Amino acid sequence: MYAHEIDYKIIGEDIQIVEIELDPNETVIAEAGSMLFMEDGITFETKMGDGSQPDQGFLGKLLQAGSRVVMGESLFMTHFTNRGVGKKKVAFSAPYPGTIMPVNLANVYGNTLIVQKDAFLCAALGTRLSIQFNQRLGAGFFGGEGFILEKVQGDGMVFIHAGGVVIERTLNNETLRVDTGCVVGFEPSINFDIQRAGGLRSMVFGGEGLFLATLRGSGKVWIQSMPISKLVQRLSPGGGQANKEGGSVLGKLGNLFED
């Protein structure tokens, strides 16, 4: 199924929205609860599954919906369709401060994008969403953010939300190490793993976390400066103070080893 061709506009700086313009009978799929406004003529319907396989039976839709529950997403997705005359607009808002990243899957390697499980915002109908478990042993044991990933496939526009600023890097048979929560997405040609961050002293007192995400190979990688997990940690009582008082997993205890 070919994805619907949709027009869009990103509005805002820190807390962005994406405004999508639909021709008659065009549809966009979105996470439940992300809609900001819709013009008269737009109708919406909550369904199990992404609608990329219209002939899929009930069991297939149930399995797909179940995989979304595993990822911590809603069991259902909302389909917004222009049933009116002429172009109509519908807009979706980001769930927290950050950047909405538009990606044309037709220009991505293998027409596939691997993203963090909470990164998907909305996409043109025809985009397929599925779960992808990271097969690496390290990611399974130590990288909570990187163990369960989401695979986005298709040939149309998809909109990914990231925390803070987004950096796009193109690797050419190179290796990039990133804070585990800061990886937004990557092309399937990239090898993703979670590895130990340096020696024991650096792991305990470095303040960079015990493990880092390792991205290796050739392809595009997207990185976010402030993932929601880090934002929550900083805003929690004592979260910011702990980082100031030693910058390590041991907090004040780390000061005992400074002299």
Side-chain angles (χ1 to χ4, degrees), residues 234-254:
R234 287 300 184 103
L235 294 178
S236 64
Q241 189 68 18
N243 285 317
K244 292 179 181 178
E245 294 176 343
S248 75
V249 293
L250 298 185
K252 290 183 178 181
L253 184 59

Side-chain angles (χ1 to χ4, degrees), residues 22-26 38-44 80-89:
L22 298 175
D23 290 329
N25 296 317
E26 282 186 339
M38 59 182 180
E39 294 182 341
D40 188 33
I42 299 285
T43 64
F44 66 93
F80 296 85
T81 304
N82 179 5
R83 301 297 186 190
V85 178
K87 297 178 181 293
K88 302 293 181 179
K89 295 177 180 178

Side-chain angles (χ1 to χ4, degrees), residues 51-235:
S52 62
Q53 299 171 286
D55 298 329
Q56 187 180 43
F58 176 78
L59 181 59
K61 293 179 180 179
L62 186 62
L63 290 174
Q64 185 185 56
S67 69
R68 289 178 51 77
V69 174
V70 172
M71 290 185 290
E73 306 286 5
S74 170
L75 181 65
F76 301 95
M77 297 195 70
T78 310
H79 296 227
F80 296 85
T81 304
N82 179 5
R83 301 297 186 190
V85 178
K87 297 178 181 293
K88 302 293 181 179
K89 295 177 180 178
V90 58
F92 304 95
S93 59
Y96 51 87
T99 303
I100 295 177
M101 185 177 77
V103 179
N104 188 346
L105 292 174
N107 299 329
V108 175
Y109 178 84
N111 290 2
T112 300
L113 188 65
I114 310 298
V115 300
Q116 291 284 7
K117 59 185 179 181
D118 61 349
F120 174 79
L121 181 62
C122 59
L125 178 65
T127 304
R128 183 180 180 185
L129 306 174
S130 59
I131 192 171
Q132 173 157 317
F133 289 103
N134 194 318
Q135 300 300 319
R136 292 286 181 170
L137 186 63
F141 279 105
F142 309 116
E145 294 95 341
F147 180 46
I148 300 177
L149 301 168
E150 190 166 20
K151 181 187 293 185
V152 186
Q153 297 172 290
D155 58 3
M157 294 299 304
V158 60
F159 300 90
I160 303 300
H161 181 257
V165 177
V166 174
I167 301 172
E168 179 181 312
R169 293 285 303 269
T170 300
L171 304 185
N172 183 16
N173 197 24
E174 298 172 292
T175 297
L176 188 67
R177 291 181 174 86
V178 185
D179 185 313
T180 53
C182 291
V183 178
V184 182
F186 50 91
E187 293 182 316
S189 55
I190 296 293
N191 187 342
F192 176 81
D193 193 12
I194 304 294
Q195 296 183 344
R196 192 180 67 181
L200 180 61
R201 181 184 180 91
S202 297
M203 291 174 63
V204 176
F205 304 114
E208 302 301 333
L210 299 178
F211 301 90
L212 294 174
T214 300
L215 301 154
R216 183 179 291 110
S218 298
K220 293 181 179 179
V221 173
W222 290 269
I223 304 168
Q224 58 187 343
S225 64
M226 182 57 71
I228 184 61
S229 58
K230 184 176 290 187
L231 178 62
V232 170
Q233 181 183 15
R234 287 300 184 103
L235 294 178

Side-chain angles (χ1 to χ4, degrees), residues 8-27:
Y8 71 93
K9 178 170 65 174
I10 305 294
I11 302 173
E13 297 295 334
D14 297 327
I15 303 180
Q16 296 184 325
I17 70 171
V18 54
E19 183 183 83
I20 295 177
E21 187 176 69
L22 298 175
D23 290 329
N25 296 317
E26 282 186 339
T27 299

